[in-house]
Amino acid sequence: MAITTIYQLPSDQVAGDATISAQTGTEDTDYLLLQVGDGYVNKPGKFTTTTGAILFDFGSAQRVDIFALGPHNLQAALSVAIQANATDAWGAPTLSTAVTIPTPGEDGHVGTPWVDLTGISGYSAGGFRYWRLNISSANSEAISIGEVWMGQTKRSMTRPYQWGSEWSDRWRFVAHESLYGAITTYDLGVRQRRFRGHVATRAAGETEMLAFHRSLTGQVHVGLFIPDSKFIDAWWVRAGPEFAVTTTYTNYIEMNVDLQEVSFAQV
């Protein structure tokens, strides 16, 4: 089966353009909900309650094609939905679809789910003024969300990365080794992933990958990267300091993609 790789430019992210508030539940005044759209993945917005809904009011209709949930403390299989409507009324919103919260990995880290809204019933390229992230069943603890991504344009790589590309995990921890070789460790609660892949493409693919890397400006800005759309796992990424393009013959280009996940602790 062919791989579909989805990516998002920093300029695609519109969550921070909205007025963000608690539509249901109680906002934690020490961790305001506006922080879920401020661009800082490590600065969460929180509720003091185990259920709640975050309202995004854009003032006028806003298109959203890709939704992703960043670091969070939500339980697997919790009832979570992203919804949209022309008015601030939620009895029967025009668009409503589940956001699947995956089971944590063996290291306890939770996945960052995403949804392609362009294929959901009720989707409109014209967008909606009001969007809502609704967590309607009780979490095991007060809700905490590091960031959400609301991408106004769906982007897919013209040619996917080739076989032989590499994913890697790096765990951040403190280790102390005694003179006798006994090692004591302290887990910092951080897992950081890296993607290194090779792309062979033509002019259109070169243009889109150049635009993606230049928009990230190395490690200055953050984009979204979904290596394989079959999996509900989105990466907040920065690029390496350099991006090389090799022309092997007329209209055939080879590129090496090197992306590193933004480091964040579990919220």
Side-chain angles (χ1 to χ4, degrees):
M1 181 180 294
I3 294 171
T4 299
T5 299
I6 293 173
Y7 66 98
Q8 295 277 273
L9 310 182
S11 58
D12 292 328
Q13 162 71 306
V14 296
D17 295 341
T19 299
I20 303 173
S21 61
Q23 193 265 332
T24 65
T26 304
E27 181 179 32
D28 187 331
T29 55
D30 291 327
Y31 298 90
L32 298 175
L33 291 176
L34 61 84
Q35 294 178 171
V36 304
D38 66 357
Y40 295 97
V41 180
N42 287 289
K43 192 168 67 173
K46 298 184 179 183
F47 288 87
T48 60
T49 50
T50 58
T51 62
I54 304 175
L55 182 68
F56 300 83
D57 179 0
F58 285 96
S60 59
Q62 172 61 59
R63 172 176 172 171
V64 177
D65 286 2
I66 299 292
F67 175 84
L69 185 62
H72 60 86
N73 68 349
L74 303 179
Q75 292 173 269
L78 201 68
S79 181
V80 180
I82 180 68
Q83 302 173 319
N85 210 29
T87 61
D88 187 11
W90 301 100
T94 301
L95 182 151
S96 182
T97 189
V99 179
T100 301
I101 307 300
T103 302
E106 291 78 6
D107 56 3
H109 288 263
V110 295
T112 47
W114 66 281
V115 182
D116 177 359
L117 297 172
T118 64
I120 302 300
S121 175
Y123 167 81
S124 169
F128 300 92
R129 172 175 173 175
Y130 296 97
W131 291 81
R132 183 173 81 147
L133 178 63
N134 187 29
I135 303 157
S136 56
S137 58
N139 197 34
S140 58
E141 55 186 323
I143 297 164
S144 178
I145 297 174
E147 192 81 1
V148 300
W149 187 280
M150 302 177 79
Q152 62 183 334
T153 305
K154 178 183 175 181
R155 303 179 190 273
S156 301
M157 288 174 58
T158 299
R159 294 287 298 273
Y161 53 85
Q162 295 182 312
W163 294 111
S165 297
E166 176 185 273
W167 292 264
S168 61
D169 287 345
R170 180 181 182 185
W171 290 270
R172 301 282 183 170
F173 59 91
V174 177
H176 174 73
E177 183 175 354
S178 73
L179 294 175
Y180 294 95
I183 298 176
T184 303
T185 61
Y186 176 76
D187 186 3
L188 296 175
V190 173
R191 181 190 67 189
Q192 191 173 20
R193 296 175 291 183
R194 186 175 182 181
F195 176 88
R196 284 176 285 193
H198 183 73
V199 177
T201 186
R202 299 187 185 277
E206 177 191 20
T207 299
E208 65 189 16
M209 284 293 94
L210 277 173
F212 182 41
H213 279 75
R214 286 173 176 170
S215 71
L216 297 177
T217 322
Q219 297 187 333
V220 176
H221 301 296
V222 175
L224 197 75
F225 184 67
I226 301 164
D228 190 339
S229 63
K230 294 192 298 293
F231 301 104
I232 51 170
D233 195 11
W235 299 23
W236 268 252
V237 294
R238 301 183 190 273
E242 296 180 359
F243 178 65
V245 178
T246 302
T247 302
T248 55
Y249 57 85
T250 304
N251 200 30
Y252 184 84
I253 299 108
E254 294 184 356
M255 297 177 290
N256 291 317
V257 178
D258 189 351
L259 300 169
Q260 184 164 286
E261 187 175 29
V262 175
S263 176
F264 55 82
Q266 297 296 288
V267 298

XYZ file of all heavy atoms in Angstrom, residues 203-254:
414
model
N 10.071 18.165 -10.258
C 10.023 19.591 -9.931
C 8.955 19.933 -8.906
O 9.190 20.720 -7.985
C 9.806 20.400 -11.214
N 7.746 19.357 -9.033
C 6.664 19.688 -8.111
C 7.027 19.287 -6.684
O 6.786 20.030 -5.726
C 5.371 18.998 -8.539
N 7.601 18.085 -6.537
C 8.002 17.630 -5.211
C 9.116 18.464 -4.629
O 9.148 18.724 -3.417
N 10.030 18.904 -5.484
C 11.109 19.773 -5.005
C 10.543 21.086 -4.476
O 10.937 21.564 -3.401
C 12.085 20.060 -6.147
C 13.201 21.017 -5.743
C 14.009 21.497 -6.932
O 13.517 21.421 -8.081
O 15.140 21.977 -6.714
N 9.610 21.656 -5.200
C 9.022 22.933 -4.794
C 8.351 22.835 -3.438
O 8.533 23.695 -2.567
C 8.007 23.408 -5.853
O 8.681 23.596 -7.095
C 7.349 24.716 -5.427
N 7.561 21.777 -3.224
C 6.832 21.670 -1.962
C 7.765 21.402 -0.785
O 7.568 21.934 0.316
C 5.752 20.587 -2.043
C 6.269 19.177 -2.216
C 5.164 18.175 -2.508
O 4.050 18.614 -2.871
O 5.421 16.957 -2.390
N 8.812 20.576 -0.981
C 9.722 20.289 0.111
C 10.612 21.484 0.440
O 10.932 21.738 1.602
C 10.571 19.068 -0.217
C 9.843 17.751 -0.074
S 9.392 17.359 1.661
C 7.695 18.001 1.743
N 11.007 22.244 -0.584
C 11.737 23.474 -0.330
C 10.880 24.446 0.477
O 11.357 25.075 1.430
C 12.161 24.125 -1.647
C 13.439 23.604 -2.306
C 13.614 24.229 -3.683
C 14.658 23.881 -1.437
N 9.612 24.563 0.100
C 8.704 25.470 0.816
C 8.545 25.032 2.274
O 8.539 25.864 3.191
C 7.348 25.509 0.121
N 8.421 23.710 2.498
C 8.262 23.202 3.855
C 9.488 23.530 4.701
O 9.387 24.103 5.792
C 8.030 21.692 3.796
C 7.805 21.040 5.139
C 7.022 21.644 6.107
C 8.379 19.815 5.422
C 6.801 21.038 7.337
C 8.174 19.192 6.646
C 7.386 19.809 7.605
N 10.673 23.196 4.203
C 11.880 23.421 4.993
C 12.191 24.905 5.169
O 12.624 25.328 6.246
C 13.070 22.692 4.353
C 13.113 21.233 4.682
N 12.261 20.322 4.106
C 13.877 20.538 5.560
C 12.512 19.126 4.598
N 13.477 19.221 5.482
N 11.968 25.682 4.138
C 12.226 27.108 4.287
C 11.246 27.766 5.251
O 11.597 28.712 5.964
C 12.176 27.786 2.912
C 13.415 27.467 2.065
C 13.307 27.995 0.651
N 14.548 27.748 -0.085
C 14.696 27.927 -1.392
N 13.661 28.359 -2.121
N 15.849 27.671 -1.977
N 10.022 27.272 5.299
C 9.046 27.834 6.241
C 9.424 27.523 7.688
O 9.148 28.304 8.595
C 7.644 27.298 5.936
O 7.523 25.922 6.287
N 10.080 26.373 7.904
C 10.537 26.033 9.248
C 11.770 26.848 9.644
O 12.039 27.039 10.836
C 10.869 24.542 9.326
C 9.699 23.576 9.084
C 10.200 22.133 9.127
C 8.583 23.774 10.086
N 12.505 27.329 8.640
C 13.723 28.124 8.863
C 14.648 27.398 9.837
O 15.057 27.937 10.870
C 13.388 29.542 9.386
O 12.226 30.039 8.741
C 14.564 30.488 9.122
N 14.959 26.146 9.498
C 15.774 25.340 10.395
C 14.998 25.028 11.660
O 13.912 24.453 11.609
N 15.501 25.472 12.795
C 14.857 25.193 14.077
C 14.103 26.387 14.630
O 13.696 26.387 15.794
C 15.906 24.720 15.084
C 16.567 23.409 14.676
C 17.484 22.861 15.742
O 18.029 23.601 16.549
N 17.646 21.556 15.758
N 13.866 27.393 13.787
C 13.209 28.612 14.257
C 11.711 28.405 14.449
O 11.130 28.793 15.464
C 13.473 29.781 13.287
C 12.712 31.031 13.730
C 14.971 30.065 13.208
N 11.047 27.782 13.452
C 9.599 27.629 13.490
C 9.209 26.152 13.567
O 10.024 25.264 13.292
C 8.971 28.269 12.253
C 9.279 29.725 12.125
N 8.856 30.664 13.034
C 9.985 30.412 11.179
C 9.280 31.864 12.671
N 9.972 31.735 11.550
N 7.965 25.922 13.930
C 7.457 24.560 14.128
C 6.378 24.262 13.093
O 5.481 25.088 12.854
C 6.884 24.388 15.549
C 6.248 23.010 15.717
C 7.980 24.586 16.582
N 6.473 23.084 12.478
C 5.451 22.609 11.560
C 4.892 21.286 12.036
O 5.296 20.759 13.082
N 3.967 20.738 11.273
C 3.374 19.443 11.594
C 3.774 18.452 10.513
O 3.786 18.787 9.327
C 1.846 19.560 11.660
C 1.134 18.405 12.376
C 1.308 18.524 13.892
C -0.357 18.387 12.030
N 4.095 17.227 10.935
C 4.547 16.197 10.013
C 3.900 14.877 10.399
O 3.971 14.451 11.553
C 6.073 16.080 10.080
C 6.674 15.102 9.107
C 6.624 15.335 7.744
C 7.307 13.957 9.565
C 7.198 14.449 6.837
C 7.887 13.056 8.670
C 7.832 13.309 7.307
N 3.228 14.254 9.439
C 2.585 12.961 9.647
C 3.232 12.007 8.651
O 2.866 11.992 7.471
C 1.058 13.063 9.436
C 0.461 14.087 10.410
C 0.392 11.704 9.615
C -0.930 14.543 10.057
N 4.237 11.234 9.083
C 4.993 10.409 8.141
C 4.140 9.447 7.337
O 4.379 9.238 6.151
C 5.983 9.666 9.048
C 6.083 10.498 10.279
C 4.748 11.119 10.454
N 3.143 8.857 7.987
C 2.302 7.865 7.313
C 0.869 8.060 7.792
O 0.562 7.874 8.971
C 2.785 6.455 7.642
C 2.107 5.387 6.800
O 1.016 5.652 6.266
O 2.675 4.284 6.678
N -0.011 8.440 6.878
C -1.390 8.782 7.249
C -2.192 7.589 7.750
O -3.313 7.758 8.243
C -2.105 9.429 6.060
O -2.208 8.514 4.977
N -1.634 6.369 7.641
C -2.349 5.201 8.171
C -2.355 5.191 9.697
O -3.144 4.478 10.318
C -1.706 3.905 7.659
C -1.825 3.680 6.158
C -1.444 2.261 5.760
C -0.011 1.921 6.088
N 0.950 2.721 5.264
N -1.471 5.974 10.306
C -1.329 5.955 11.758
C -1.816 7.271 12.356
O -1.597 8.343 11.783
C 0.129 5.704 12.153
C 0.665 4.403 11.615
C 1.528 4.396 10.525
C 0.292 3.196 12.177
C 2.022 3.210 10.017
C 0.784 1.998 11.675
C 1.643 2.001 10.603
N -2.452 7.181 13.529
C -2.980 8.383 14.181
C -1.907 8.973 15.096
O -2.010 8.947 16.318
C -4.291 8.096 14.947
C -4.135 6.885 15.896
C -5.437 7.863 13.989
C -5.303 6.697 16.840
N -0.876 9.504 14.466
C 0.249 10.031 15.224
C 0.879 11.176 14.445
O 1.455 10.973 13.375
C 1.268 8.913 15.469
C 2.275 9.263 16.544
O 2.067 10.281 17.241
O 3.267 8.530 16.696
N 0.746 12.381 14.973
C 1.290 13.574 14.324
C 2.509 14.060 15.106
O 2.555 13.956 16.331
C 0.230 14.671 14.266
N 3.467 14.608 14.370
C 4.683 15.118 14.992
C 4.741 16.642 14.864
O 4.556 17.176 13.775
C 5.924 14.565 14.310
C 6.114 13.083 14.324
C 5.163 12.113 14.482
C 7.354 12.379 14.137
N 5.737 10.870 14.406
C 7.077 10.997 14.193
C 8.671 12.794 13.913
C 8.068 10.036 14.037
C 9.657 11.841 13.757
C 9.358 10.475 13.827
N 5.026 17.332 15.963
C 5.404 18.745 15.915
C 6.904 18.763 15.656
O 7.682 18.206 16.449
C 5.093 19.428 17.243
C 3.753 20.076 17.330
C 3.506 21.411 17.340
C 2.461 19.445 17.452
N 2.154 21.655 17.447
C 1.490 20.456 17.520
C 2.036 18.117 17.509
C 0.133 20.195 17.636
C 0.687 17.839 17.624
C -0.244 18.867 17.681
N 7.358 19.381 14.573
C 8.759 19.211 14.170
C 9.471 20.530 13.879
O 8.855 21.538 13.531
C 8.872 18.318 12.909
C 8.419 16.900 13.206
C 8.098 18.917 11.732
N 10.783 20.454 14.034
C 11.708 21.464 13.541
C 12.639 20.782 12.539
O 12.825 19.567 12.596
C 12.518 22.080 14.679
C 11.683 22.753 15.766
C 12.580 23.388 16.812
N 11.847 23.829 17.980
C 11.254 25.014 18.110
N 11.319 25.875 17.095
N 10.612 25.347 19.205
N 13.231 21.552 11.649
C 14.130 20.990 10.647
C 15.575 21.160 11.085
O 15.891 21.917 12.011
C 13.913 21.678 9.303
N 16.462 20.445 10.403
C 17.881 20.626 10.634
C 18.350 21.968 10.090
O 17.605 22.670 9.396
N 19.600 22.355 10.376
C 20.090 23.674 9.950
C 20.332 23.787 8.450
O 20.446 24.889 7.926
C 21.406 23.820 10.723
C 21.845 22.408 10.992
C 20.589 21.622 11.185
N 20.407 22.641 7.743
C 20.652 22.660 6.310
C 19.682 21.720 5.601
O 19.196 20.756 6.182
C 22.093 22.230 6.005
C 23.163 23.160 6.561
C 24.557 22.689 6.221
O 24.680 21.633 5.565
O 25.518 23.368 6.609
N 19.434 22.024 4.313
C 18.580 21.182 3.490
C 19.199 21.097 2.105
O 19.335 22.107 1.421
C 17.165 21.757 3.410
C 16.231 20.973 2.528
C 15.865 19.678 2.854
C 15.715 21.534 1.364
C 14.999 18.957 2.047
C 14.848 20.817 0.548
C 14.489 19.526 0.893
N 19.621 19.902 1.702
C 20.355 19.736 0.446
C 19.482 19.100 -0.622
O 18.715 18.177 -0.358
C 21.595 18.872 0.680
N 19.599 19.608 -1.841
C 18.890 19.085 -3.006
C 19.938 18.684 -4.048
O 20.818 19.485 -4.397
C 17.932 20.137 -3.606
C 17.255 19.582 -4.847
C 16.896 20.563 -2.573
N 19.839 17.448 -4.548
C 20.775 16.965 -5.554
C 20.029 16.666 -6.843
O 19.059 15.895 -6.842
C 21.479 15.675 -5.082
O 22.150 15.941 -3.845
C 22.481 15.196 -6.121
N 20.444 17.293 -7.939
C 19.866 17.020 -9.252
C 20.712 15.948 -9.929
O 21.892 16.171 -10.224
C 19.831 18.286 -10.113
O 19.077 19.290 -9.425
C 19.172 18.014 -11.451
N 20.106 14.781 -10.157
C 20.868 13.671 -10.740
C 20.802 13.662 -12.260
O 21.754 13.314 -12.924
C 20.358 12.331 -10.192
O 18.947 12.231 -10.432
C 20.617 12.236 -8.689
N 19.651 14.034 -12.815
C 19.541 14.286 -14.245
C 18.297 15.113 -14.484
O 17.596 15.462 -13.532
C 19.541 12.994 -15.077
C 18.473 11.981 -14.747
C 17.194 12.072 -15.303
C 18.738 10.909 -13.902
C 16.228 11.134 -15.021
C 17.760 9.968 -13.605
C 16.510 10.084 -14.158
O 15.552 9.160 -13.863
N 18.013 15.468 -15.705
C 16.952 16.426 -16.007
C 15.637 16.083 -15.310
O 15.093 14.995 -15.468
C 16.709 16.493 -17.536
O 17.942 16.817 -18.167
C 15.665 17.535 -17.870
N 15.145 17.032 -14.498
C 13.859 16.928 -13.818
C 13.776 15.710 -12.888
O 12.708 15.158 -12.672
C 12.696 16.901 -14.830
C 11.375 17.275 -14.164
O 11.359 18.048 -13.210
N 10.287 16.733 -14.667
N 14.888 15.300 -12.337
C 14.888 14.232 -11.332
C 15.754 14.707 -10.177
O 16.939 14.989 -10.352
C 15.432 12.936 -11.912
C 15.359 11.776 -10.941
C 14.181 11.044 -10.804
C 16.463 11.430 -10.168
C 14.104 9.980 -9.909
C 16.399 10.377 -9.272
C 15.226 9.653 -9.152
O 15.149 8.617 -8.266
N 15.156 14.797 -9.004
C 15.815 15.425 -7.859
C 15.804 14.464 -6.676
O 14.817 13.751 -6.443
C 15.087 16.736 -7.470
C 15.120 17.725 -8.648
C 15.709 17.359 -6.238
C 13.799 17.906 -9.322
N 16.886 14.453 -5.948
C 16.962 13.678 -4.717
C 17.168 14.622 -3.541
O 17.965 15.555 -3.616
C 18.113 12.666 -4.793
C 17.903 11.585 -5.850
C 18.995 10.544 -5.840
O 19.953 10.706 -5.062
O 18.887 9.573 -6.615
